[in-house]
Amino acid sequence: MVDIKGLDKAKVLKALYDHGHVAVVSDGAVTVERCAELLRTKTSFDYLRGRVIMANLSGDSFDERMYDLNCGAGAAQRAVDSVRAEQEAGTSKSADSEKKELSMEEKMKQTKEAIEKIQGILKELPPDMYAPAVMCLKMVLPGPGPMGALEGMLGGMFAPPPFPFKGRFG
């Protein structure tokens, strides 16, 4: 359970949104004010504007397992810790200084960096694990066709990694 006692739940919801993974692309930015409006009518969220939340903020703590399952181990605690650190520092962001939605150029840059990281990890796999890992990615990643452009970036369907491989897996 992640302790949120004494924290502004709207800021907690916003932090979970900011630290969450995109499940469905959605337009518009989420603000603390918008989160406060939402919290007036409900406290349990599966998704917020296309991002995984999977949390019930009705009490002084929430079960982080589903959020962490989707966003990575410890992600919920890191999100809440960012709110707590902001509160302890006494800094309160104004509506004007809140994090703005990323531009298309920034989104493309982040996407390219993520793909390069994935490629780096895949190249470290032993040859007998490479093809199954690529196939698994093709099955879980959304989008038209078998990963579309990402497939080409990963070297095609079964392109073997360069030899000799030196990686964390072997």
Side-chain angles (χ1 to χ4, degrees):
M1 298 294 277
V2 175
D3 178 31
I4 57 173
K5 187 175 184 176
L7 297 178
D8 181 345
K9 290 182 181 179
K11 290 183 179 182
V12 170
L13 181 58
K14 172 83 165 87
L16 290 171
Y17 173 82
D18 288 342
H19 289 84
H21 288 238
V22 176
V24 177
V25 177
S26 177
D27 292 331
V30 171
T31 64
V32 174
E33 292 78 16
R34 178 69 179 132
C35 291
E37 289 174 28
L38 291 170
L39 285 163
R40 285 188 205 111
T41 58
K42 68 181 199 170
T43 57
S44 184
F45 299 88
D46 289 337
Y47 297 90
L48 178 59
R49 297 198 58 86
R51 294 200 187 177
V52 174
I53 302 295
M54 302 290 181
N56 184 337
L57 304 177
S58 62
D60 288 336
S61 63
F62 68 93
D63 185 350
E64 77 282 7
R65 291 178 293 183
M66 291 304 293
Y67 186 88
D68 286 357
L69 180 67
N70 287 286
C71 301
Q77 187 64 56
R78 286 190 298 276
V80 170
D81 287 347
S82 71
V83 175
R84 186 167 280 116
E86 180 182 312
Q87 181 173 309
E88 289 172 359
T91 59
S92 178
K93 296 179 182 178
S94 69
D96 294 334
S97 67
E98 270 196 50
K99 184 178 177 182
K100 302 292 182 198
E101 191 70 21
L102 296 176
S103 70
M104 184 57 75
E105 183 178 300
E106 292 167 324
K107 289 178 183 178
M108 289 174 58
K109 180 182 176 195
Q110 285 185 357
T111 301
K112 182 179 178 190
E113 290 170 1
I115 290 170
E116 288 171 356
K117 288 177 184 177
I118 292 168
Q119 286 176 314
I121 291 170
L122 287 173
K123 287 177 182 176
E124 293 176 3
L125 290 172
D128 63 331
M129 291 176 60
Y130 181 82
V134 170
M135 288 304 298
C136 183
L137 276 173
K138 289 179 182 183
M139 289 187 293
V140 299
L141 290 175
M147 288 198 322
L150 186 57
E151 181 179 332
M153 292 178 193
L154 293 175
M157 208 163 147
F158 291 106
F163 285 94
F165 68 90
K166 295 178 186 173
R168 66 179 92 155
F169 299 107

